[in-house]
Amino acid sequence: MMFLYESTSYPLLDIDVASWLCLTYVCGEVKLPTADEMEKHNCKQRLDEMSNPYLRYYKDKNYYAALNNLPEDHWWSKYTSREYKNYSKEYTRYELQMLARDMQDAGYPAGFGSYEKLSERGEMIVDMTCEDSQGRYRLTSDDPDSSWRTFRDCDPSPFKSIYTGTGSVPLQGKWMDLDNHGEVSTEPIRE
């Protein structure tokens, strides 16, 4: 029996890659690992995860307690600090490395490099994912535009296609004012 579930912040891609991986096992293109090989693989992955602050936070109760006892002015609590951005990037890179490994194992038609090293496309996704997260953290109630700004109203310039390099375009207006076609609505928004 095989289970499909997402284990990264990219659920649709995660499920698609996992489906390809299951297919390679079912069709015999890739030999199923033995129980001993799976145990060694899982042990190595868990050890790698203990080196990642984000993952260790959820797996090590002593680490969890220590981080929760940090002073309030520590970078851990300042989501827009340089240190927090680096911490976020490290976790995001790890997620992409896991996906890259599974893509390679499955013979997936797209790739992001390997578990050991991401490709340029993989690094682009890391950067855009972190930029997306920071866009959410930049939303504060004391901003002059806080009455209308959502995370979708962020600056689109950091986002571009990993295949063509074509950049994202700005929305036609404020997110909350757009209709189902992406045009600024002339109808009042119903509450």
Side-chain angles (χ1 to χ4, degrees):
M1 180 180 297
M2 295 184 191
F3 296 94
L4 289 179
Y5 62 93
E6 64 273 5
S7 57
T8 70
S9 301
Y10 312 92
L12 295 177
L13 179 60
D14 211 343
I15 293 290
D16 196 42
V17 170
S19 299
W20 275 70
L21 191 55
C22 284
L23 185 64
T24 62
Y25 290 136
V26 169
C27 293
E29 294 173 24
V30 174
K31 182 178 167 269
L32 274 174
T34 65
D36 188 50
E37 290 169 333
M38 284 188 264
E39 191 172 323
K40 285 179 183 174
H41 167 82
N42 289 344
C43 184
K44 181 190 179 324
Q45 184 166 326
R46 294 299 171 251
L47 286 172
D48 288 349
E49 290 172 358
M50 292 301 277
S51 298
N52 185 295
Y54 180 88
L55 293 165
R56 186 170 183 177
Y57 179 78
Y58 292 103
K59 297 176 188 300
D60 179 345
K61 68 180 181 179
N62 295 324
Y63 192 78
Y64 176 89
L67 287 177
N68 284 331
N69 287 322
L70 289 171
E72 206 169 295
D73 64 344
H74 190 273
W75 65 262
W76 176 259
S77 302
K78 297 179 179 177
Y79 301 135
T80 57
S81 70
R82 181 179 45 82
E83 294 87 354
Y84 191 88
K85 289 176 189 176
N86 289 338
Y87 152 81
S88 178
K89 198 169 203 172
E90 184 179 343
Y91 172 67
T92 302
R93 184 172 287 113
Y94 181 75
E95 284 194 321
L96 262 293
Q97 287 171 307
M98 288 193 315
L99 269 173
R101 176 198 58 210
D102 291 348
M103 287 170 154
Q104 280 187 324
D105 290 349
Y108 196 76
F112 298 148
S114 67
Y115 183 76
E116 292 75 25
K117 181 166 176 45
L118 293 178
S119 66
E120 184 179 338
R121 287 180 180 155
E123 288 294 342
M124 285 174 67
I125 292 175
V126 169
D127 291 341
M128 288 187 287
T129 300
C130 291
E131 188 62 38
D132 176 55
S133 293
Q134 284 299 306
R136 294 166 195 261
Y137 296 137
R138 289 185 198 111
L139 295 173
T140 59
S141 58
D142 58 350
D143 278 343
D145 54 5
S146 65
S147 65
W148 62 266
R149 184 174 293 281
T150 73
F151 70 93
R152 292 179 177 94
D153 293 300
C154 70
D155 172 18
S157 64
F159 305 98
K160 59 185 173 181
S161 167
I162 62 170
Y163 296 105
T164 66
T166 302
S168 295
V169 295
L171 298 173
Q172 297 297 315
K174 298 172 187 172
W175 171 256
M176 297 303 288
D177 294 339
L178 300 179
D179 64 18
N180 291 340
H181 305 288
E183 304 293 328
V184 176
S185 176
T186 56
E187 299 293 320
I189 297 174
R190 287 184 248 147
E191 296 187 20

